[in-house]
Amino acid sequence: MLAVLGFLTLGTFMVLVLRKYATAFVAIIAAPVVFAILAGRGGDLGDMAVSGIKTVAPTAILLLFAILYFGVMMDARLFDPVSRAIIRLSKGDPVRICVGTAVLALLVALDGDGTTSYMIICSAFLPIYRRLGINPLVIATIATMALGAVSGSTPWGGAATRAISVLHLDATAYFVPFLPSLALTGGVIVLLAYVLGVRQRRRIDPLVIAEVAQELAAGRTRGGGTTTTITGGSAGAGDDGEPGTVTPRWRMWFNAGLTAVLLVLLVLGVAPLVTLFIAGFVIALLVNHPQLADQGDVIKRHAASAVPVVVLALAAGIFTGILTDTGMVEAMAKSMLSIVPEGMGNLIPVFTAVIGLPLSFFMSNDAYFFGVLPVLAESAAQFGIPADEIARAGVIGQMLHSVGPASAPLWVLLGLVKRDLGDFQRFSLLWVTLASLAWIVFAVLTGAISIA
């Protein structure tokens, strides 16, 4: 009976979200509450909800300060010097430009926000793509792969946030073992960008490439930068982060150093992620916005991005708290295990990664991570497989999710490159699938997910 109620809870939640009858926040709370009452546990709802919230509170706080931190870095145009340097070094060569696009896309995806990442990449590189005649679908493909890999797997990115919240994981324990496979996947994305660049260079008139190279050289000679006509670019940000003024060079170097130190400490596990990002945000805020009034404005501005994510993480805690304490998750897992062939339980993480590719493409992250992943994790637990592995396996599908119709930032990207969804998917699907399959292989080889 509990298994049936559990599957009805998941089914109701997914219908409400996929059919857009309710927001994810409303659906993720309403569905388990209704079926917990039907199970006769209505009197325990308060305790179960609080129990679930306690487990996700550290993750919610991490999300809040990670989003605020990277918001300050984006205000300071942290990656502008990188994009200008890449364009100067490219010398008009489409291969170098595509590789440079991948490098910058992987860096800006650390922000965790797809719309922001796409706008930064396109503002930096679309003008030179158009000047050379490079197919704009190339920049869209590279950007979606980078966003799916980096933003999809970082604990402050949307997908991993859901996985960590719904499975009640420690963010550091989830993320650090994932880094080797993520780094290798980043290398594959750069390699695929190289291949795409070679294909584009073959179809572009060499005279056009030579002409653009001369324009870039002339731009560097005139002022140490590239011409505005070619690079497009975005204005720097001043002391208060407002567009149109220039960030002092020392502050740019400080921000780069602070971000690098933060990521190194994260990998070394010196302190919990939430502690690192709280400290990093406070330092970044004091250095980039020393005026008290400016600090308040910055927090208010970026809270608009942070609050919906934090609220959803807390709602996920209520969802899993109710399903776990009522026994529904365990009952569902046992019913699923009954159909797993003898001796095949050790392959659940790989199965999760493989089946997650098409599911992530078609489904919203809310439906997949809140509806499918908890049952897979509980099934894996019966074989002694930790939930961290299921979370890592689950997010591998994010590159395909980033090119699917359920990815909201994709529609912004398509507007920027002025192409429709069908054209983009026909062009990108092969490359994104190859990168996703490579990520599964790397995850197995590095031990991020196991088959033993």
Side-chain angles (χ1 to χ4, degrees):
M1 181 61 179
L2 281 176
V4 173
L5 290 175
F7 284 117
L8 286 173
T9 301
L10 298 183
T12 301
F13 165 74
M14 294 172 70
V15 168
L16 290 174
V17 171
L18 295 176
R19 300 292 296 176
K20 297 183 179 180
Y21 294 139
T23 64
F25 173 74
V26 172
I28 203 172
I29 294 176
V33 166
V34 169
F35 287 97
I37 293 172
L38 292 177
R41 298 293 300 275
D44 299 325
L45 281 173
D47 291 337
M48 292 188 290
V50 171
S51 173
I53 289 174
K54 286 180 179 178
T55 62
V56 301
T59 300
I61 297 170
L62 165 65
L63 289 173
L64 174 62
F65 285 98
I67 292 171
L68 291 175
Y69 175 83
F70 283 109
V72 172
M73 292 298 109
M74 293 303 167
D75 283 348
R77 310 285 186 183
L78 175 62
F79 299 109
D80 272 15
V82 178
S83 64
R84 289 194 293 268
I86 289 171
I87 292 175
R88 285 199 302 270
L89 293 172
S90 72
K91 298 180 180 179
D93 181 6
V95 176
R96 294 185 182 185
I97 290 170
C98 290
V99 170
T101 303
V103 172
L104 184 62
L106 289 166
L107 289 174
V108 300
L110 286 168
D111 172 56
D113 179 72
T115 301
T116 301
S117 298
Y118 291 153
M119 292 180 70
I120 291 173
I121 294 298
C122 289
S123 67
F125 284 101
L126 259 184
I128 197 168
Y129 271 64
R130 289 171 175 151
R131 176 68 181 85
L132 282 165
I134 300 175
N135 188 342
L137 292 176
V138 172
I139 192 173
T141 301
I142 295 171
T144 49
M145 285 193 293
L147 184 77
V150 177
S151 179
S153 61
T154 51
W156 53 90
T161 297
R162 291 167 170 83
I164 292 170
S165 300
V166 79
L167 300 182
H168 304 164
L169 306 179
D170 176 78
T172 303
Y174 150 81
F175 189 50
V176 173
F178 212 10
L179 285 171
S181 66
L182 179 59
L184 291 170
T185 304
V188 169
I189 292 172
V190 172
L191 176 62
L192 293 177
Y194 174 86
V195 175
L196 287 167
V198 170
R199 291 162 63 98
Q200 292 298 305
R201 185 167 60 187
R202 289 173 182 164
R203 53 177 289 276
I204 297 174
D205 188 342
L207 294 178
V208 174
I209 296 175
E211 183 179 338
V212 171
Q214 290 179 348
E215 292 175 6
L216 289 170
R220 184 172 64 250
T221 302
R222 285 198 297 269
T226 54
T227 58
T228 303
T229 302
I230 294 178
T231 64
S234 55
D239 292 355
D240 57 358
E242 291 299 323
T245 56
V246 179
T247 301
R249 184 176 294 274
W250 71 265
R251 191 169 291 166
M252 189 70 72
W253 282 108
F254 179 88
N255 289 333
L258 178 61
T259 303
V261 168
L262 188 62
L263 295 176
V264 169
L265 294 178
L266 181 155
V267 173
L268 295 177
V270 173
L273 283 180
V274 61
T275 304
L276 293 175
F277 273 106
I278 289 174
F281 173 65
V282 170
I283 295 170
L285 193 62
L286 288 172
V287 172
N288 289 276
H289 304 278
Q291 300 298 319
L292 184 63
D294 293 340
Q295 293 175 8
D297 290 340
V298 168
I299 293 173
K300 290 177 183 177
R301 183 164 65 250
H302 294 294
S305 299
V307 169
V309 181
V310 173
V311 166
L312 192 57
L314 295 174
I318 297 173
F319 178 82
T320 54
I322 294 174
L323 262 65
T324 301
D325 291 351
T326 56
M328 291 182 191
V329 171
E330 184 179 357
M332 286 187 290
K334 287 180 178 179
S335 67
M336 289 189 65
L337 286 175
S338 64
I339 63 174
V340 176
E342 187 75 23
M344 298 289 286
N346 61 310
L347 297 179
I348 290 178
V350 175
F351 171 78
T352 300
V354 173
I355 196 66
L357 300 185
L359 290 180
S360 295
F361 179 82
F362 289 108
M363 295 175 68
S364 71
N365 278 339
D366 294 323
Y368 177 64
F369 285 101
F370 296 142
V372 177
L373 207 64
V375 179
L376 292 171
E378 186 63 29
S379 301
Q382 306 301 315
F383 293 93
I385 299 169
D388 297 282
E389 290 194 22
I390 301 301
R392 296 178 201 126
V395 303
I396 289 177
Q398 283 303 292
M399 278 193 281
L400 273 165
H401 175 77
S402 68
V403 303
S407 174
L410 176 61
W411 300 101
V412 175
L413 177 62
L414 295 177
L416 291 170
V417 300
K418 294 180 172 58
R419 291 294 189 275
D420 62 42
L421 180 63
D423 289 341
F424 170 68
Q425 289 181 339
R426 280 191 293 272
F427 183 91
S428 66
L429 208 52
L430 171 64
W431 307 102
V432 178
T433 302
L434 289 174
S436 300
L437 293 173
W439 196 358
I440 294 176
V441 173
F442 294 145
V444 172
L445 292 177
T446 59
I449 61 176
S450 64
I451 57 175

